[in-house]
Amino acid sequence: MTLQCVSCIQAKSITPTFNEDFTMSENHDCSFGLARPARSRSLAFALGMSLLGLVVSGAFAAEGVPVNGQPSYQERAVLTLTNAVRMAPSQYRDTYLPAGNSSILTGSGVAPLYWNAQLNIASRNHAVDMATHNYFSHVSQDGTTWVQRIANAGYTGSPTGENIAAGYQGPLEVMVGWLLSQGHRDNIMSTASRELGIGYAFSSTSTYGKYWVQDMGTRNFTVTSPVVAGSHVFPSTGNVRFLVDMYEPSAQAGAPQSVKLVVQGTAYAMNLHMGAAARGTYEKTMATSSGCRPYHFEVVSASGTTWRYPSQGEYMTYGENGCNQDYQAGSTTLPGDVNGNGIVNVDDLMAVIAAWGACPPAPNPCPADLAPTGGNGAVGPDDLLVVINHWS
């Protein structure tokens, strides 16, 4: 196993070796890749809401939906674990690191890192290149530096660091390697970064087999969703642990009303694993099962807004007794989510009102025809109540 970092970090052999650290500080304005900006509402709709006697506020969920296969299961799990340790350093240390490391990760928690597609492309490409061409370095074989790779991937912010590792078997193991190395640990915990991409690749003909990359960056963006990342890991033989990172953008926000894991259509309450209720990681551990199981997370924030993660489709229990699928595409299963964007809010009310009495006769599809389950061929007050009941 091996590690290295440059501010940027990497990992190389069982005894970690490191190259020099680099830091970058420039900020750029941009929009965040997984969070959708709030859309303006029309005057007509606002009047319609007044007539209905409803007070509403818009919000848009972080999607969590893979883009062209990125992030993969391994990449998403590393993102989730990275944010767990950032928000609750000492609790993560005591839970996932070997005993005898009480002198590290003693500081206060910091804000999580949000997934960025361009950083993920840069990380994945470098992991694949190292695995394919059997080398281990921050500098690509053609001489491209880590900073140039990030720019070539289209990232408009400022690169702040890179970690690389090789030979580690899974997300929990590579995080242990990085966190036990000061340079890598500093990169993971740095407040100079706001975004993260993770790369993973495997080649049976390479020296180390599995190659891991983290690329960090910073830029200005607005976050509306309290759900940052979610995945699963295998903490012990025969057990799978589902994790979801929560971080309320407002420091004044209270604890979520509920955090649930939905596996194969059955909902389970999740427990606070580490950190604070509004800014921490929740978990649900259960025995492994046979084959792939679909799952997603549902969160009702302190304000009553319902969020689904991923917004569409289902994550799959990759690695569970031979399961080799990490995502299953499909529409949202969140009741009342007419628009299929992973959140029940004002847009769904708007869609119901727009389709009021205008749906084609059954069995033609009409997304706003929510009630009774499966629809009844018309849109009316019963459908409006479905949205309202799952909004608050």
Side-chain angles (χ1 to χ4, degrees):
M1 294 177 289
T2 182
L3 300 169
Q4 282 184 4
C5 74
V6 292
S7 284
C8 154
I9 292 181
Q10 291 186 57
K12 259 188 174 174
S13 65
I14 294 178
T15 302
T17 61
F18 307 95
N19 63 358
E20 70 273 25
D21 287 351
F22 303 98
T23 58
M24 316 215 28
S25 60
E26 183 184 3
N27 289 321
H28 295 269
D29 292 334
C30 65
S31 60
F32 169 45
L34 284 187
R36 283 188 270 218
R39 294 178 236 168
S40 61
R41 283 169 274 167
S42 67
L43 176 60
F45 179 69
L47 292 174
M49 290 297 97
S50 298
L51 291 173
L52 287 170
L54 300 174
V55 178
V56 298
S57 60
F60 292 81
E63 293 184 17
V65 177
V67 179
N68 296 323
Q70 298 192 34
S72 65
Y73 157 68
Q74 293 88 347
E75 294 161 355
R76 192 176 71 250
V78 169
L79 172 68
T80 305
L81 294 171
T82 296
N83 286 324
V85 69
R86 282 177 67 91
M87 291 188 289
S90 62
Q91 287 177 282
Y92 188 99
R93 176 199 66 207
D94 295 343
T95 304
Y96 293 112
L97 298 192
N101 289 292
S102 59
S103 63
I104 66 173
L105 296 170
T106 57
S108 300
V110 297
L113 300 178
Y114 292 84
W115 184 81
N116 177 271
Q118 287 72 42
L119 290 175
N120 213 93
I121 290 170
S123 297
R124 171 78 72 85
N125 288 349
H126 190 48
V128 169
D129 193 49
M130 288 192 293
T132 302
H133 296 101
N134 196 25
Y135 74 98
F136 185 76
S137 173
H138 284 291
V139 179
S140 300
Q141 284 196 316
D142 63 0
T144 303
T145 68
W146 67 280
V147 174
Q148 291 171 327
R149 284 195 303 270
I150 291 174
N152 292 344
Y155 185 63
T156 59
S158 295
T160 54
E162 178 174 272
N163 291 345
I164 66 174
Y168 291 89
Q169 290 305 300
L172 284 170
E173 291 80 6
V174 74
M175 287 297 295
V176 169
W178 278 332
L179 290 171
L180 291 182
S181 159
Q182 182 174 346
H184 300 79
R185 184 171 65 247
D186 289 347
N187 267 2
I188 287 172
M189 299 301 297
S190 174
T191 56
S193 302
R194 293 197 68 197
E195 295 180 297
L196 177 64
I198 305 96
Y200 167 79
F202 170 76
S203 172
S204 61
T205 61
S206 64
T207 300
Y208 297 109
K210 298 180 178 182
Y211 292 77
W212 307 81
V213 179
Q214 286 183 318
D215 279 330
M216 297 91 164
T218 185
R219 57 180 182 166
N220 296 325
F221 55 88
T222 300
V223 176
T224 56
S225 171
V227 185
V228 181
S231 191
H232 66 279
V233 294
F234 299 96
S236 59
T237 302
N239 291 298
V240 56
R241 176 169 294 161
F242 300 89
L243 301 170
V244 63
D245 297 323
M246 290 282 302
Y247 191 85
E248 284 285 359
S250 171
Q252 287 71 45
Q257 295 183 23
S258 67
V259 180
K260 295 179 181 179
L261 165 72
V262 181
V263 181
Q264 293 181 309
T266 301
Y268 302 89
M270 301 187 74
N271 303 310
L272 182 63
H273 188 37
M274 53 187 65
R279 294 181 169 183
T281 301
Y282 287 75
E283 69 87 28
K284 175 65 179 178
T285 302
M286 49 180 70
T288 55
S289 183
S290 59
C292 296
R293 290 187 288 174
Y295 70 92
H296 67 269
F297 304 97
E298 293 182 8
V299 174
V300 180
S301 66
S303 64
T305 301
T306 301
W307 305 83
R308 186 189 195 274
Y309 195 91
S311 62
Q312 296 187 30
E314 300 280 340
Y315 293 140
M316 305 297 286
T317 52
Y318 185 100
E320 184 177 41
N321 292 322
C323 176
N324 61 4
Q325 184 180 1
D326 59 11
Y327 176 75
Q328 178 177 282
S331 62
T332 177
T333 59
L334 189 64
D337 185 10
V338 179
N339 293 307
N341 63 358
I343 180 174
V344 180
N345 68 353
V346 64
D347 279 2
D348 303 296
L349 286 173
M350 182 188 296
V352 170
I353 291 173
W356 200 287
C359 267
N364 292 325
C366 183
D369 185 10
L370 303 169
T373 302
N376 60 4
V379 177
D382 53 348
D383 306 296
L384 190 65
L385 287 174
V386 172
V387 175
I388 295 171
N389 289 336
H390 287 88
W391 184 349
S392 57

